[in-house]
Amino acid sequence: MTRARIRPTWAEIDLDAITHNIKAMHERLPKKTKIVAVVKANGYGHGSIQVAKKALDSGATSLAVALLEEALELREAGINAPILVMGWVPPEAAPIAAKHHITLTFFQKDWLDQVSRMEFDERLQLHLKLDTGMGRIGIRSSEALREILYALNDKPSIYLTGVYTHFATADGTNLTYFHKQKEQFERMLSELKEQWSGEVTVHIGNSASAIRLPGDMYDFVRYGISMYGLYPSQPVKEEQAINLKQAFSLHSRLAHVKQIEAGDAISYGLTYKAEKAEWIGTIPIGYGDGWIRKLQGFSVLVDGKRMPIVGRICMDQTMVRLDQEYPVGTKVTLLGSQNGSFINIDEAAAYVDTISYEIPCLLNERIPRIYKGG
Ligand SMILES: *Cc1c(COP(=O)(O)O)cnc(C)c1O
């Protein structure tokens, strides 16, 4: 049961922006390279089911998530497209993946041995992960590759359908390490092809590498952050190679408006004191929603103008200094556009010294997502 929305604080997800961002990527990619829509972590906080459906309607051919649970959620929503789980899944869960035609990532021989002793209703599809320098998960050496390919032989219930890697510095200013990783991948891929005769799809690119080197992406790109209209980093943004549309915006309404006098203080710890008579608005959002305390001093939009956040952000409420009196119920935009003004997620991320990815992920399920352009 979904409860009626009462508190006037909500996120709007512009699904047409997802379509725009997929089109913009398709225009850069060669025809043979397909798009995998990455919808892990509830679609980077945008809603995995809604984004997945829109992405598939807009030309993405498959989906990727981090957890098997996330893949099952998509299946339960009636999505039949291929899904790749990119994280490690406990071997005991492999039969669940096979049953729901969900592709798993593997890179450990012990894992393969354990899984190959299990019973499956359907063949289990696997993608092999190569660690070419990210240092997270994957096979790192030619010996390990040889061993795992050998172990894959005569396992009729298991089916190698893909091989991939992930870059550590594709979004940086200096691409030397990126190219080193790419060369290592090419070496390991040619070894694989010498030892394995089956057809495998190959994919290496996230948003940053796909935007920068679209011609080098093999069969698929794993399109995450930029599908949501956010740039992987400032250097990639400054290159202006692609025009993206931010899909996520965050809104609320003034719950209380008052005038305070010179010397009056606002919120815990009295970190803000008025220098003169000022109008103060209270917004019903706080760190309990993922609107973190570090955003103190950042701005929100009221009447299309920037108003500073004053005093400490509380668990459920945030105060702003207004330029004049506004009625209770006046719309406040915390991220996104209002009356021609815009607060970029990149800007909020930079203010709290993090990356754009983290901002919508932090804004939790206490904030309902409203979909536009579905
Ligand atoms: C999250 C993830 C991606 C998507 O990366 P973006 O930078 O968001 O495009 C691609 N590949 C892997 C393995 C990932 O974990």
Side-chain angles (χ1 to χ4, degrees):
M1 193 194 87
T2 52
R3 194 179 295 280
R5 198 156 62 80
I6 298 171
R7 178 178 65 156
T9 295
W10 71 100
E12 268 171 39
I13 312 300
D14 176 6
L15 292 172
D16 291 334
I18 303 288
T19 302
H20 170 96
N21 299 326
I22 287 178
K23 286 212 172 104
M25 177 51 79
H26 264 145
E27 279 165 21
R28 286 187 70 67
L29 291 172
K31 283 267 178 302
K32 68 170 172 75
T33 306
K34 309 278 190 270
I35 290 180
V36 183
V38 180
V39 294
K40 63 191 179 191
N42 193 29
Y44 292 45
H46 294 61
S48 59
I49 293 165
Q50 293 84 351
V51 171
K53 286 182 173 168
K54 190 65 175 183
L56 293 167
D57 280 350
S58 307
T61 54
S62 63
L63 304 168
V65 291
L67 321 179
L68 181 54
E69 291 88 326
E70 293 172 337
L72 292 169
E73 212 175 297
L74 297 170
R75 285 284 180 263
E76 280 157 21
I79 295 171
N80 295 316
I83 305 177
L84 170 67
V85 176
M86 300 185 292
W88 180 84
V89 170
E92 310 82 70
I96 306 172
K99 182 171 173 220
H100 294 277
H101 303 106
I102 294 163
T103 305
L104 298 182
T105 293
F106 83 116
F107 44 89
Q108 294 155 327
K109 185 173 169 297
D110 287 349
W111 188 94
L112 188 63
D113 290 343
Q114 252 181 282
V115 167
S116 62
R117 287 194 292 270
M118 294 173 185
E119 304 253 330
F120 296 110
D121 299 334
E122 311 270 346
R123 279 176 101 183
L124 175 66
Q125 298 198 35
L126 296 179
H127 281 202
L128 179 61
K129 183 76 182 280
L130 306 181
D131 179 4
T132 55
M134 173 71 181
R136 191 164 65 179
I137 52 173
I139 281 180
R140 293 171 68 91
S141 69
S142 305
E143 295 70 48
L145 178 64
R146 196 174 319 116
E147 218 185 22
I148 219 159
L149 290 175
Y150 187 75
L152 259 179
N153 276 311
D154 56 79
K155 303 245 182 325
S157 59
I158 290 172
Y159 188 23
L160 179 69
T161 56
V163 56
Y164 73 107
T165 194
H166 191 58
F167 295 112
T169 62
D171 61 349
T173 319
N174 184 336
L175 288 180
T176 312
Y177 192 82
F178 170 88
H179 288 294
K180 252 179 71 181
Q181 271 196 266
K182 196 159 167 290
E183 281 161 25
Q184 171 67 358
F185 181 76
E186 283 156 11
R187 260 195 302 277
M188 291 181 87
L189 182 63
S190 67
E191 290 172 11
L192 181 141
K193 293 212 159 142
E194 282 165 21
Q195 297 164 51
W196 191 257
S197 56
E199 271 289 307
V200 286
T201 58
V202 178
H203 48 105
I204 60 174
N206 55 0
S207 297
S209 37
I211 291 169
R212 290 174 138 183
L213 298 160
D216 294 355
M217 294 291 109
Y218 296 93
D219 301 314
F220 292 101
V221 300
R222 301 185 305 269
Y223 198 32
I225 194 70
S226 298
M227 179 175 72
Y228 302 94
L230 303 173
Y231 292 87
S233 66
Q234 202 55 32
V236 175
K237 184 174 185 170
E238 280 163 10
E239 287 163 14
Q240 299 189 345
I242 191 166
N243 173 261
L244 301 173
K245 248 192 195 160
Q246 183 175 307
F248 191 100
S249 61
L250 178 65
H251 312 274
S252 187
R253 296 188 182 279
L254 293 176
H256 184 53
V257 177
K258 62 176 175 285
Q259 197 170 38
I260 62 170
E261 302 304 322
D264 286 353
I266 298 293
S267 196
Y268 292 117
L270 317 180
T271 60
Y272 180 78
K273 283 202 174 77
E275 284 171 11
K276 49 185 173 38
E278 287 174 354
W279 287 98
I280 299 291
T282 301
I283 313 167
I285 186 172
Y287 66 79
D289 299 287
W291 185 250
I292 59 174
R293 290 169 84 248
K294 269 194 181 173
L295 286 160
Q296 180 174 348
F298 194 61
S299 300
V300 304
L301 297 171
V302 178
D303 194 26
K305 290 171 282 190
R306 287 186 178 233
M307 312 286 174
I309 295 169
V310 293
R312 290 215 177 118
I313 291 173
C314 309
M315 191 184 288
D316 322 292
Q317 305 182 77
T318 294
M319 276 64 78
V320 294
R321 188 176 68 223
L322 301 170
D323 61 340
Q324 61 174 71
E325 185 177 11
Y326 290 94
V328 165
T330 299
K331 188 173 176 183
V332 179
T333 295
L334 298 98
L335 297 169
S337 64
Q338 188 189 88
N339 302 357
S341 297
F342 193 72
I343 296 184
N344 209 302
I345 289 180
D346 298 342
E347 191 190 336
Y351 186 83
V352 298
D353 199 21
T354 186
I355 52 173
S356 56
Y357 299 65
E358 207 173 16
I359 301 293
C361 280
L362 280 173
L363 296 166
N364 59 41
E365 68 291 339
R366 212 183 179 200
I367 301 178
R369 270 64 172 168
I370 310 295
Y371 294 90
K372 299 277 152 89

